[in-house]
Amino acid sequence: SLDTWDFSSPLISLWINRFYIYLGFAFGISFWICFQIVIRKQDKNSQKCVPKATQNLTTNGYISLQKKDIFVSGVKIFYGSQTGTAKGFAAVLAKDVNSLDLPVEIINLKQYDPDDHLVEEVTSKNVCAFLVATYTDGQPTESAKWFCRWLEDAAKDFRFGKTYLKGMRYAVFGLGNSAYVSHFNKVGRNVDKWLWMLGAHRVMAPGEGDCDVAKSKHGSIEADFRAWKTKFISRLQVLCKGEKNSCGGNCKKGKCESNQHGIEEMEPGSQAQVGLHDRDTEEEEPFESTSEEESGTEDHQSPNSVVDVEDLGKIMNHVKKEKRETEQQEEKTSLFRNSMKKEASERRAMITPALREALTKQGENP
């Protein structure tokens, strides 16, 4: 019919002229490809005129920010508290760390499994702060008991080794009471020692808070914590810049040393800790490093050599004794030389030219 013919006539005309339609599509696609090639060539030519420093910032035609090295990815604050003091300190510390625009995580040691998660801190670029209290008879609090037991066993187990936590960075603040002399801050010192024995890197000297106001270094345990916190925040700022100073965490058997104050020791389980001063060393094994301050130069030891703190004290006393004897010997020698010179000059002064001439004449007479 006529209606059918009118509807099918456009389709018939398209079919008859299909060659021209295909040709049009091919021409359009070719034109689009040529346009894209011209645009890319222009982009390459424009990049040749841009300095290399700017080209490094350019990726796929878009300017991106230069990749920034991250030296501290965050701070984890672990606390073991019985009365809530350490928990409160952890909250205060977290607030100050937040002011540095660093992620902070507060962790109760009671809810933390070191067997599964502590080794993760080796590569996490976190800085771990441990706020631990010493409870009855020098024992850890209930919340930190399992953590301390695991840490002690790992430090003494040869299967873990002294590089198990190498790369982990930590700082310790202990809460105690110096009225209990034999157990004062025993837990804080032990945690610091055990972490160090496993190869962890101490970023600053351990801090000690004293509940005994009369004997507290700063007047109260809160003031002790504030002093330690100020140093920790300053140290954190230095670490964020990628700088290295202060304690490298590789000090011998848990003691830190400095040029200004000489060698100050911290015996494991000792009743009082002398002020610890830090130095930085480069990637040394915990039990293979020696003090550069003792001789002014690096001391080279065999890989298996271990210098005990007690032996080190004896060595230093022996060196001081020898130095004192040498100085005394030099003084005696100088006094003897001066006396000999004086006697010789006196002898020369006693025989005058006139007396010598008279004696000569007397000798000539028969």
Side-chain angles (χ1 to χ4, degrees):
S1 65
L2 185 61
D3 294 336
T4 304
W5 174 254
D6 291 338
F7 176 74
S8 60
S9 58
L11 297 177
I12 293 172
S13 62
L14 289 174
W15 175 254
I16 294 172
N17 298 304
R18 64 184 180 278
F19 174 76
Y20 299 103
I21 294 171
Y22 295 156
L23 187 63
F25 275 115
F27 178 76
I29 292 171
S30 301
F31 179 77
W32 182 82
I33 292 172
C34 293
F35 181 73
Q36 292 296 324
I37 292 172
V38 171
I39 289 177
R40 291 187 180 181
K41 284 184 177 181
Q42 289 179 352
D43 290 341
K44 289 181 180 179
N45 292 332
S46 61
Q47 286 181 1
K48 289 180 181 179
C49 300
V50 178
K52 289 184 178 181
T54 309
Q55 287 182 21
N56 292 335
L57 299 176
T58 307
T59 307
N60 296 328
Y62 296 96
I63 296 178
S64 60
L65 294 175
Q66 190 175 10
K67 186 179 179 180
K68 186 178 179 181
D69 292 331
I70 297 175
F71 299 100
V72 178
S73 59
V75 176
K76 286 187 176 180
I77 304 172
F78 300 87
Y79 70 89
S81 181
Q82 191 72 27
T83 61
T85 305
K87 183 178 180 180
F89 286 169
V92 173
L93 182 61
K95 186 177 180 181
D96 283 11
V97 173
N98 271 325
S99 64
L100 302 179
D101 294 329
L102 286 173
V104 186
E105 185 178 357
I106 300 176
I107 301 172
N108 186 350
L109 288 174
K110 187 177 182 179
Q111 303 168 353
Y112 185 76
D113 188 356
D115 198 17
D116 293 335
H117 302 293
L118 192 60
V119 73
E120 296 173 0
E121 306 305 329
V122 171
T123 56
S124 65
K125 292 187 178 181
N126 288 323
V127 176
C128 300
F130 293 88
L131 312 181
V132 288
T134 301
Y135 200 45
T136 308
D137 296 330
Q139 296 298 316
T141 60
E142 289 294 328
S143 59
K145 191 169 287 186
W146 162 243
F147 177 81
C148 291
R149 185 185 304 168
W150 181 92
L151 203 61
E152 181 181 11
D153 292 343
K156 295 178 180 179
D157 193 339
F158 71 93
R159 291 173 297 179
F160 285 88
K162 57 187 176 182
T163 59
Y164 180 71
L165 295 179
K166 187 174 182 180
M168 174 183 171
R169 295 176 291 180
Y170 76 95
V172 176
F173 180 80
L175 293 82
N177 193 329
S178 58
Y180 306 98
V181 180
S182 59
H183 304 304
F184 177 59
N185 261 313
K186 185 177 180 180
V187 175
R189 295 175 186 175
N190 283 338
V191 168
D192 174 74
K193 179 185 67 175
W194 293 330
L195 288 170
W196 182 86
M197 288 173 66
L198 289 169
H201 181 94
R202 183 195 293 117
V203 300
M204 63 175 290
E208 292 188 346
D210 193 351
C211 292
D212 191 340
V213 177
K215 295 182 180 180
S216 173
K217 188 176 180 180
H218 299 91
S220 67
I221 192 170
E222 290 79 8
D224 293 337
F225 172 72
R226 284 195 297 269
W228 178 85
K229 176 173 64 85
T230 301
K231 293 178 182 178
F232 179 77
I233 295 299
S234 299
R235 182 73 180 124
L236 208 56
Q237 290 173 332
V238 172
L239 292 173
C240 288
K241 295 177 183 178
E243 301 175 11
K244 291 183 179 181
N245 60 17
S246 188
C247 183
N250 299 310
C251 303
K252 198 69 185 172
K253 281 202 172 182
K255 78 174 187 299
C256 298
E257 301 151 358
S258 69
N259 289 326
Q260 296 178 353
H261 301 275
I263 300 176
E264 298 175 324
E265 303 177 356
M266 183 186 73
E267 282 283 354
S270 60
Q271 295 181 0
Q273 177 182 0
V274 184
L276 297 176
H277 299 274
D278 305 323
R279 67 181 177 88
D280 184 52
T281 52
E282 293 292 335
E283 294 300 325
E284 299 175 356
E285 293 296 329
F287 289 98
E288 297 173 2
S289 61
T290 58
S291 171
E292 296 177 7
E293 288 76 18
E294 293 172 8
S295 60
T297 57
E298 278 190 295
D299 297 329
H300 298 281
Q301 293 183 336
S302 62
N304 297 325
S305 61
V306 178
V307 178
D308 193 78
V309 178
E310 211 172 282
D311 296 336
L312 188 60
K314 292 179 181 178
I315 292 171
M316 292 305 299
N317 291 333
H318 183 68
V319 171
K320 289 179 181 178
K321 186 178 179 181
E322 287 184 352
K323 186 177 180 181
R324 198 180 301 112
E325 291 177 355
T326 305
E327 290 176 353
Q328 291 175 356
Q329 188 67 27
E330 289 177 355
E331 287 179 1
K332 290 179 181 179
T333 305
S334 62
L335 288 172
F336 178 74
R337 288 177 181 175
N338 290 335
S339 62
M340 291 294 291
K341 288 180 180 178
K342 188 176 181 181
E343 289 177 2
S345 62
E346 287 176 354
R347 282 197 219 101
R348 286 195 297 269
M350 288 174 66
I351 303 175
T352 61
L355 182 60
R356 184 182 295 108
E357 186 178 354
L359 291 172
T360 304
K361 287 181 180 180
Q362 289 177 7
E364 291 175 353
N365 295 328

